[in-house]
Amino acid sequence: ELKVEQNPLFLSMQEGKNYTIYCNYSTTSDRLYWYRQDPGKSLESLFVLLSNGAVKQEGRLMASLDTKARLSTLHITAAVHDLSATYFCAVDPGTYKYIFGTGTRLKVLA
Amino acid sequence: DGGITQSPKYLFRKEGQNVTLSCEQNLNHDAMYWYRQDPGQGLRLIYYSQIVNDFQKGDIAEGYSVSREKKESFPLTVTSAQKNPTAFYLCASMGFGYTFGSGTRLTVV
């Protein structure tokens, strides 16, 4: 069974701190996506990682992909309240449908 | 601007009633998808379509039906057979990654 696991599921952190969200997957894939979802809203694309060693950065968020370890990370630097949201990773196994992780609910405390 | 439009934003269904959720895209994407999201949960795939006049069941297709008569449109019908339809429904299309619509929140009254 194809699985995508994220941890932690819930993350409460202080403003200004750093933290990493992990996304492990069980299938071979060279493509991984990160999305953000605000409460009651749809999913917004954050990063597309297309190859082993890919690293993308946008503001305080940085995503990386290690296809050999089947692991992607989303690193948060100096968190601010506006980053509070649920973050999903999704893997493209080449079957026309992505497999989504369970989501990580992030709460940044002032 | 290209995108995906879902309507309505909120929908209320009475017991035993069928309701249809609309999803339209002008991105010229071949593949389209319907997902269900329950509160605090992840996304579960209901149906997907790779091309016009063809669609496949996802993981939770029971109680739902779809059609794909046009490339731009992929409506989802929630039938009376779906006993617990209250959820947030998301439509997506695939180009370079998924693009999601804004969602429809369905509530049983």
Side-chain angles (χ1 to χ4, degrees), chain B residues 7-57:
Chain B
S7 62
K9 189 171 182 178
Y10 299 96
L11 186 58
F12 299 91
R13 190 193 96 164
K14 294 181 180 179
E15 295 284 349
Q17 191 179 40
N18 292 353
V19 292
T20 298
L21 285 61
S22 171
C23 178
E24 303 276 334
Q25 54 106 352
N26 61 2
L27 300 166
N28 201 33
H29 290 167
D30 286 315
M32 296 185 73
Y33 305 80
W34 275 105
Y35 286 89
R36 169 179 172 146
Q37 187 179 34
D38 292 287
Q41 303 297 313
L43 279 68
R44 292 189 288 169
L45 182 63
I46 305 172
Y47 269 98
Y48 65 105
S49 167
Q50 297 177 28
I51 200 166
V52 174
N53 293 322
D54 188 40
F55 48 83
Q56 287 78 39
K57 293 182 179 180

Coordinates of all heavy atoms in Angstrom, one line a residue, chain B residues 7-57:
Chain B
S7 N -18.8 25.7 -7.4 CA -20.0 26.3 -6.9 C -21.0 25.3 -6.5 O -21.0 24.2 -7.1 CB -20.6 27.3 -8.0 OG -21.0 26.5 -9.1
P8 N -21.9 25.6 -5.6 CA -21.9 26.8 -4.8 C -20.8 26.7 -3.7 O -20.2 25.6 -3.5 CB -23.3 26.8 -4.1 CG -23.6 25.4 -4.0 CD -23.0 24.7 -5.2
K9 N -20.6 27.7 -3.0 CA -19.6 27.7 -1.9 C -20.2 27.0 -0.7 O -19.4 26.3 0.0 CB -19.3 29.2 -1.5 CG -18.1 29.3 -0.5 CD -17.7 30.7 -0.3 CE -16.5 30.8 0.6 NZ -16.0 32.2 0.8
Y10 N -21.5 27.1 -0.4 CA -22.2 26.4 0.7 C -23.4 25.7 0.1 O -24.1 26.3 -0.8 CB -22.6 27.4 1.8 CG -21.5 28.1 2.4 CD1 -21.1 29.4 2.0 CD2 -20.7 27.5 3.5 CE1 -20.0 30.0 2.6 CE2 -19.7 28.2 4.1 CZ -19.3 29.4 3.7 OH -18.3 30.1 4.3
L11 N -23.7 24.5 0.6 CA -24.8 23.8 0.0 C -25.4 23.0 1.2 O -24.7 22.4 2.0 CB -24.3 22.8 -1.1 CG -25.3 22.0 -1.8 CD1 -26.4 22.9 -2.5 CD2 -24.7 21.1 -2.9
F12 N -26.7 23.0 1.2 CA -27.4 22.3 2.3 C -28.3 21.2 1.6 O -29.0 21.5 0.7 CB -28.3 23.3 3.1 CG -27.5 24.3 3.8 CD1 -27.2 25.5 3.1 CD2 -26.9 24.1 5.0 CE1 -26.4 26.5 3.8 CE2 -26.1 25.0 5.7 CZ -25.9 26.2 5.0
R13 N -28.2 20.0 2.2 CA -28.9 18.9 1.6 C -29.9 18.3 2.6 O -29.5 18.1 3.8 CB -28.0 17.8 1.2 CG -28.6 16.7 0.3 CD -27.7 15.5 0.2 NE -28.0 14.5 1.2 CZ -27.6 13.2 1.1 NH1 -26.9 12.8 0.1 NH2 -27.9 12.4 2.1
K14 N -31.1 18.1 2.2 CA -32.1 17.4 3.0 C -31.9 15.9 2.9 O -31.4 15.4 1.9 CB -33.5 17.8 2.6 CG -33.8 19.3 2.8 CD -35.2 19.6 2.4 CE -35.6 21.0 2.6 NZ -36.9 21.4 2.2
E15 N -32.4 15.2 3.9 CA -32.3 13.7 3.9 C -33.0 13.2 2.6 O -34.0 13.6 2.3 CB -33.0 13.2 5.1 CG -32.3 13.5 6.5 CD -31.1 12.7 6.7 OE1 -30.8 11.7 6.0 OE2 -30.3 13.1 7.6
G16 N -32.3 12.2 2.0 CA -32.9 11.6 0.8 C -32.8 12.4 -0.5 O -33.3 11.9 -1.5
Q17 N -32.1 13.5 -0.4 CA -32.0 14.3 -1.6 C -30.7 14.1 -2.3 O -29.6 13.9 -1.7 CB -32.1 15.8 -1.1 CG -32.3 16.8 -2.2 CD -32.5 18.2 -1.6 OE1 -31.8 18.6 -0.7 NE2 -33.4 19.0 -2.1
N18 N -30.7 14.2 -3.7 CA -29.4 14.3 -4.4 C -29.1 15.7 -4.6 O -29.9 16.6 -4.9 CB -29.6 13.6 -5.8 CG -29.8 12.1 -5.7 OD1 -29.7 11.5 -4.6 ND2 -30.1 11.5 -6.8
V19 N -27.8 16.0 -4.6 CA -27.3 17.4 -4.9 C -26.1 17.3 -5.8 O -25.3 16.3 -5.7 CB -26.9 18.2 -3.6 CG1 -28.2 18.5 -2.8 CG2 -25.9 17.4 -2.8
T20 N -25.9 18.3 -6.6 CA -24.8 18.3 -7.5 C -23.9 19.5 -7.3 O -24.4 20.6 -7.2 CB -25.3 18.3 -9.0 OG1 -26.0 17.1 -9.2 CG2 -24.1 18.4 -10.0
L21 N -22.6 19.2 -7.2 CA -21.6 20.2 -7.0 C -20.9 20.5 -8.3 O -20.5 19.5 -9.0 CB -20.5 19.7 -6.0 CG -20.9 19.7 -4.5 CD1 -22.1 18.8 -4.2 CD2 -19.7 19.3 -3.7
S22 N -20.7 21.7 -8.6 CA -20.2 22.1 -9.9 C -18.7 22.4 -9.8 O -18.2 22.9 -8.8 CB -20.9 23.4 -10.4 OG -20.2 23.9 -11.6
C23 N -17.9 22.0 -10.9 CA -16.5 22.2 -11.0 C -16.2 22.5 -12.4 O -16.4 21.7 -13.3 CB -15.7 21.1 -10.5 SG -13.9 21.4 -10.6
E24 N -15.7 23.8 -12.7 CA -15.4 24.2 -14.0 C -13.9 24.7 -14.1 O -13.5 25.5 -13.2 CB -16.3 25.3 -14.5 CG -17.8 25.0 -14.5 CD -18.2 24.2 -15.7 OE1 -17.6 24.4 -16.8 OE2 -19.2 23.5 -15.6
Q25 N -13.2 24.3 -15.1 CA -11.8 24.9 -15.2 C -11.5 25.4 -16.6 O -12.1 24.9 -17.6 CB -10.8 23.8 -14.9 CG -10.9 22.5 -15.7 CD -9.9 22.3 -16.7 OE1 -9.1 23.1 -17.0 NE2 -9.9 21.1 -17.3
N26 N -10.7 26.4 -16.7 CA -10.4 27.0 -18.0 C -8.8 26.9 -18.2 O -8.3 27.8 -18.8 CB -10.9 28.4 -18.1 CG -10.3 29.4 -17.1 OD1 -9.5 29.0 -16.2 ND2 -10.8 30.6 -17.1
L27 N -8.3 25.9 -17.6 CA -6.8 25.7 -17.7 C -6.4 24.8 -18.8 O -5.2 24.5 -19.0 CB -6.3 25.2 -16.3 CG -6.6 26.1 -15.1 CD1 -6.4 25.3 -13.8 CD2 -5.7 27.3 -15.2
N28 N -7.4 24.2 -19.5 CA -7.1 23.3 -20.5 C -6.4 22.0 -20.0 O -5.7 21.3 -20.7 CB -6.3 23.9 -21.7 CG -6.4 23.1 -23.0 OD1 -7.5 22.6 -23.3 ND2 -5.3 23.1 -23.7
H29 N -6.7 21.6 -18.8 CA -6.2 20.4 -18.2 C -7.0 19.2 -18.6 O -8.3 19.3 -18.6 CB -6.1 20.6 -16.7 CG -5.1 21.5 -16.2 ND1 -5.0 22.0 -14.9 CD2 -4.0 22.1 -16.8 CE1 -4.0 22.8 -14.8 NE2 -3.4 22.9 -15.9
D30 N -6.4 18.1 -18.8 CA -7.1 16.9 -19.1 C -7.7 16.2 -17.9 O -8.8 15.7 -17.8 CB -6.2 15.9 -19.9 CG -6.0 16.3 -21.3 OD1 -6.9 16.7 -22.0 OD2 -4.8 16.2 -21.8
A31 N -6.8 16.1 -16.8 CA -7.2 15.4 -15.6 C -7.9 16.3 -14.6 O -7.4 17.4 -14.3 CB -6.0 14.7 -15.0
M32 N -9.0 15.7 -14.0 CA -9.7 16.4 -12.9 C -10.0 15.4 -11.8 O -10.1 14.2 -12.1 CB -11.0 17.1 -13.5 CG -10.7 18.2 -14.5 SD -12.1 19.0 -15.1 CE -12.5 20.0 -13.6
Y33 N -10.2 16.0 -10.6 CA -10.3 15.2 -9.4 C -11.4 15.8 -8.5 O -11.5 17.0 -8.4 CB -9.0 15.1 -8.7 CG -7.8 14.7 -9.5 CD1 -7.2 15.5 -10.4 CD2 -7.4 13.4 -9.5 CE1 -6.2 15.1 -11.2 CE2 -6.3 12.9 -10.3 CZ -5.7 13.8 -11.1 OH -4.7 13.4 -11.9
W34 N -12.0 14.9 -7.7 CA -12.8 15.3 -6.6 C -12.3 14.6 -5.3 O -12.1 13.4 -5.2 CB -14.3 14.9 -6.7 CG -15.1 15.8 -7.6 CD1 -15.5 15.7 -8.8 CD2 -15.6 17.1 -7.1 NE1 -16.2 16.8 -9.2 CE2 -16.3 17.6 -8.2 CE3 -15.5 17.8 -5.9 CZ2 -16.9 18.9 -8.1 CZ3 -16.1 19.0 -5.8 CH2 -16.8 19.5 -6.9
Y35 N -12.1 15.5 -4.3 CA -11.7 15.1 -3.0 C -12.7 15.5 -1.9 O -13.4 16.5 -2.0 CB -10.3 15.7 -2.6 CG -9.2 15.1 -3.3 CD1 -8.7 15.6 -4.5 CD2 -8.4 14.0 -2.8 CE1 -7.6 15.1 -5.2 CE2 -7.3 13.5 -3.4 CZ -7.0 14.0 -4.6 OH -5.9 13.5 -5.3
R36 N -12.7 14.7 -0.9 CA -13.5 15.0 0.3 C -12.6 15.2 1.5 O -11.6 14.5 1.7 CB -14.5 13.8 0.6 CG -15.2 13.9 2.0 CD -16.2 12.8 2.2 NE -16.6 12.8 3.6 CZ -17.9 12.5 4.0 NH1 -18.7 12.0 3.1 NH2 -18.2 12.6 5.2
Q37 N -12.9 16.2 2.3 CA -12.2 16.5 3.5 C -13.1 16.7 4.7 O -14.0 17.5 4.7 CB -11.3 17.8 3.3 CG -10.3 18.0 4.5 CD -9.5 19.2 4.3 OE1 -9.9 20.2 3.7 NE2 -8.2 19.1 4.8
D38 N -13.0 15.8 5.7 CA -13.7 16.0 6.9 C -12.9 16.8 7.9 O -11.7 17.0 7.8 CB -14.0 14.6 7.5 CG -14.9 13.8 6.6 OD1 -16.1 14.1 6.6 OD2 -14.5 12.9 5.9
P39 N -13.6 17.4 8.8 CA -13.0 18.4 9.8 C -11.7 17.8 10.4 O -11.7 16.7 11.0 CB -14.0 18.7 10.8 CG -15.3 18.5 10.1 CD -15.1 17.3 9.1
G40 N -10.6 18.5 10.3 CA -9.4 18.1 10.9 C -8.7 16.9 10.3 O -7.7 16.4 10.8
Q41 N -9.2 16.6 9.1 CA -8.6 15.4 8.4 C -7.9 15.7 7.1 O -8.0 16.9 6.7 CB -9.8 14.4 8.1 CG -10.5 13.9 9.4 CD -9.7 13.2 10.4 OE1 -8.9 12.3 10.0 NE2 -9.7 13.6 11.6
G42 N -7.4 14.7 6.5 CA -6.7 14.9 5.2 C -7.7 14.8 4.1 O -8.9 14.8 4.3
L43 N -7.2 14.6 2.9 CA -8.0 14.5 1.6 C -8.2 13.1 1.2 O -7.2 12.3 1.2 CB -7.3 15.3 0.5 CG -7.4 16.8 0.5 CD1 -6.7 17.4 1.6 CD2 -7.0 17.3 -0.9
R44 N -9.4 12.8 0.9 CA -9.7 11.4 0.4 C -10.3 11.5 -1.0 O -11.2 12.3 -1.3 CB -10.7 10.7 1.3 CG -10.1 10.4 2.7 CD -11.0 9.5 3.5 NE -12.2 10.2 4.0 CZ -13.2 9.6 4.5 NH1 -13.3 8.3 4.7 NH2 -14.2 10.4 4.9
L45 N -9.8 10.7 -1.9 CA -10.1 10.8 -3.3 C -11.5 10.1 -3.6 O -11.7 8.9 -3.2 CB -9.0 10.2 -4.2 CG -9.2 10.2 -5.7 CD1 -9.3 11.6 -6.2 CD2 -8.1 9.4 -6.4
I46 N -12.4 10.8 -4.2 CA -13.7 10.3 -4.5 C -13.7 9.7 -6.0 O -14.0 8.5 -6.2 CB -14.8 11.4 -4.4 CG1 -14.8 12.0 -3.0 CG2 -16.2 10.7 -4.6 CD1 -15.7 13.2 -2.9
Y47 N -13.5 10.5 -6.9 CA -13.4 10.1 -8.3 C -12.4 11.0 -9.0 O -12.0 12.1 -8.6 CB -14.8 10.4 -9.0 CG -15.8 9.3 -9.0 CD1 -16.8 9.3 -8.1 CD2 -15.7 8.3 -10.0 CE1 -17.7 8.2 -8.1 CE2 -16.6 7.2 -10.0 CZ -17.7 7.2 -9.0 OH -18.6 6.2 -9.0
Y48 N -11.9 10.5 -10.2 CA -11.0 11.2 -11.0 C -11.2 10.9 -12.5 O -11.8 9.8 -12.8 CB -9.5 11.1 -10.6 CG -8.9 9.7 -10.8 CD1 -8.1 9.4 -11.8 CD2 -9.2 8.7 -9.9 CE1 -7.5 8.2 -12.0 CE2 -8.6 7.5 -10.0 CZ -7.8 7.2 -11.1 OH -7.2 6.0 -11.2
S49 N -10.8 11.8 -13.3 CA -11.0 11.6 -14.7 C -9.8 12.1 -15.4 O -9.3 13.2 -15.2 CB -12.2 12.5 -15.2 OG -12.3 12.6 -16.6
Q50 N -9.3 11.2 -16.3 CA -8.0 11.6 -17.0 C -8.3 12.2 -18.4 O -7.5 12.9 -18.9 CB -7.2 10.3 -17.2 CG -6.7 9.7 -15.9 CD -5.9 8.4 -16.2 OE1 -5.3 8.2 -17.2 NE2 -6.0 7.5 -15.2
I51 N -9.6 12.0 -18.8 CA -9.9 12.5 -20.2 C -11.4 12.5 -20.3 O -12.1 11.9 -19.5 CB -9.3 11.5 -21.3 CG1 -9.2 12.2 -22.6 CG2 -10.0 10.2 -21.3 CD1 -8.3 11.5 -23.6
V52 N -11.9 13.3 -21.3 CA -13.3 13.4 -21.5 C -14.0 12.0 -21.7 O -13.4 11.2 -22.3 CB -13.6 14.3 -22.7 CG1 -15.1 14.4 -23.0 CG2 -13.1 15.7 -22.4
N53 N -15.2 11.9 -21.1 CA -16.0 10.7 -21.3 C -15.3 9.4 -20.6 O -15.7 8.3 -20.9 CB -16.3 10.3 -22.7 CG -17.2 11.4 -23.4 OD1 -18.1 11.8 -22.7 ND2 -16.9 11.7 -24.6
D54 N -14.4 9.7 -19.7 CA -13.8 8.6 -18.9 C -13.6 9.0 -17.5 O -13.1 10.2 -17.3 CB -12.5 8.1 -19.6 CG -12.0 6.9 -18.9 OD1 -12.8 6.0 -18.6 OD2 -10.8 6.8 -18.7
F55 N -13.8 8.2 -16.5 CA -13.6 8.5 -15.1 C -13.4 7.2 -14.4 O -13.9 6.1 -14.8 CB -14.6 9.4 -14.5 CG -16.1 8.9 -14.7 CD1 -16.6 8.0 -13.9 CD2 -16.8 9.4 -15.7 CE1 -17.9 7.5 -14.1 CE2 -18.1 9.0 -15.9 CZ -18.7 8.1 -15.1
Q56 N -12.7 7.3 -13.2 CA -12.4 6.1 -12.4 C -12.8 6.4 -10.9 O -12.7 7.6 -10.5 CB -10.9 5.8 -12.4 CG -10.5 5.2 -13.7 CD -10.3 6.2 -14.8 OE1 -9.8 7.3 -14.5 NE2 -10.7 5.8 -16.0
K57 N -13.2 5.4 -10.2 CA -13.5 5.5 -8.8 C -12.2 5.7 -8.0 O -11.1 5.1 -8.3 CB -14.1 4.3 -8.3 CG -15.5 4.0 -8.9 CD -16.2 2.8 -8.3 CE -17.6 2.6 -8.8 NZ -18.2 1.4 -8.3

